[in-house]
Amino acid sequence: MFLLLTVSIIVLLILYVKLKYFTLRGPIPGLAPHFLFGNVIQSGQLLNGVSLPQVCSKFKLRYGDIFQFWFGPIRFIMVSGITDVQHIFTHRNVYEQGDIYIKQFGILTPNSLILVKGAHFKRHATITLPLFRRGKITNNIDLIVDCTDKLLANWRTRPNKHVHCDIVQQCQNLMLQIFGLIGFDYDLEMLDERGSDQNELGKALFDLLKAAEFIIFAPTFMGKLYTTFSGRHRRAKAIIKKYLYKMIENEMA
């Protein structure tokens, strides 16, 4: 009798957790998530190595520009329509960051602009957003073109049959190089011929990005343990901090 009661309680508890935390909510379409794993098995991410962009493209074709997606126990509303994305980012007073997003990424960068909201966001935005206004970009169009030409020149030095498998990373380096020059008049050396894999800052930023990819899907306690005890992560943050101080000193000189 006791065994039967125990089994019944466990089954009811699992059913409760499934219905409360692993069930589609509201009118937004999506794929019904698995218990504990969400959609990561159904989408092929966990077992077949399907990348997140491929998953998003597949779900967009099936469910439209806005859909629900579950990374394990974490539910996300995925927005892929460019007009919807523009509307959200230009109306941050209406569309605040989700608490789960802030909770996860806050482990890495608790005071970054993308994580704050309300009055805190307005204070940060007043300082940083002017860097991205149209006037700031158009006035530096020659600088942007020069940086792009430098990246293309680096690519042309490779053999004709060389296949560039790191174009995304190279474009990220290009954006960082442009941002450093426009925002701080500082050369981050992200486009040097030696490559970003030999660039101290580039390696640190890559390590931080890899940590972010892990933390966003991991339980909060695992993310905190990683950032606390990972020597690689602490070293990356120290390097980035060093370069930030260099940029500040260069700007104030």
Side-chain angles (χ1 to χ4, degrees):
M1 184 66 181
F2 176 76
L3 179 61
L4 181 61
L5 180 61
T6 302
V7 172
S8 300
I9 292 175
I10 293 175
V11 171
L12 289 174
L13 182 61
I14 293 175
L15 183 61
Y16 169 78
V17 173
K18 173 66 173 71
L19 293 176
K20 184 172 179 62
Y21 298 104
F22 296 92
T23 303
L24 291 176
R25 307 171 191 169
I28 300 175
L31 184 62
H34 286 167
F35 180 64
L36 296 180
F37 292 97
N39 296 133
V40 294
I41 293 179
Q42 299 156 303
S43 62
Q45 275 189 293
L46 184 62
L47 301 179
N48 300 326
V50 179
S51 67
L52 181 59
Q54 290 175 313
V55 171
C56 290
S57 297
K58 179 180 177 181
F59 273 62
K60 179 180 179 179
L61 289 174
R62 184 173 179 179
Y63 299 109
D65 289 338
I66 303 177
F67 55 87
Q68 299 183 53
F69 190 87
W70 298 73
F71 291 100
I74 304 174
R75 170 180 174 261
F76 286 89
I77 303 298
M78 311 294 283
V79 181
S80 56
I82 187 63
T83 54
D84 295 326
V85 172
Q86 289 176 335
H87 178 77
I88 290 171
F89 277 102
T90 53
H91 294 81
R92 274 291 303 272
N93 60 317
V94 178
Y95 301 94
E96 294 283 16
Q97 288 286 14
D99 290 336
I100 188 63
Y101 188 85
I102 294 174
K103 184 178 180 181
Q104 294 299 103
F105 269 104
I107 299 172
L108 273 180
T109 53
N111 295 313
S112 60
L113 178 64
I114 197 172
L115 298 181
V116 296
K117 55 185 181 179
H120 201 183
F121 168 78
K122 293 178 181 178
R123 184 166 61 250
H124 281 59
T126 301
I127 299 173
T128 57
L129 290 187
L131 292 173
F132 303 100
R133 289 177 180 165
R134 178 179 175 82
K136 192 73 173 179
I137 301 300
T138 54
N139 289 338
N140 291 278
I141 191 67
D142 291 337
L143 184 150
I144 296 172
V145 171
D146 289 342
C147 290
T148 306
D149 285 341
K150 185 174 182 179
L151 175 61
L152 294 175
N154 290 343
W155 287 355
R156 294 189 186 102
T157 60
R158 305 292 179 87
N160 291 333
K161 295 184 179 180
H162 177 78
V163 178
H164 294 277
C165 299
D166 59 346
I167 291 179
V168 173
Q169 183 179 346
Q170 291 292 327
C171 290
Q172 291 173 345
N173 294 339
L174 173 63
M175 291 184 65
L176 284 170
Q177 181 73 9
I178 293 171
F179 177 77
L181 291 172
I182 293 179
F184 302 96
D185 193 26
Y186 188 87
D187 186 0
L188 297 176
E189 301 179 353
M190 298 300 294
L191 300 178
D192 286 359
E193 293 183 1
R194 57 182 175 170
S196 61
D197 57 334
Q198 300 297 322
N199 182 292
E200 185 181 44
L201 178 60
K203 291 171 65 176
L205 290 170
F206 180 76
D207 289 341
L208 193 67
L209 180 61
K210 296 299 291 184
E213 291 176 354
F214 166 74
I215 288 173
I216 190 61
F217 304 128
T220 303
F221 78 93
M222 290 184 64
K224 291 182 178 179
L225 286 175
Y226 177 82
T227 55
T228 302
F229 296 105
S230 172
R232 183 177 183 180
H233 175 72
R234 294 200 306 270
R235 183 167 58 253
K237 291 190 70 173
I239 291 172
I240 294 171
K241 184 177 181 180
K242 179 182 71 174
Y243 276 88
L244 286 175
Y245 277 116
K246 280 185 178 181
M247 286 187 282
I248 293 172
E249 291 172 0
N250 183 73
E251 185 71 13
M252 297 179 65

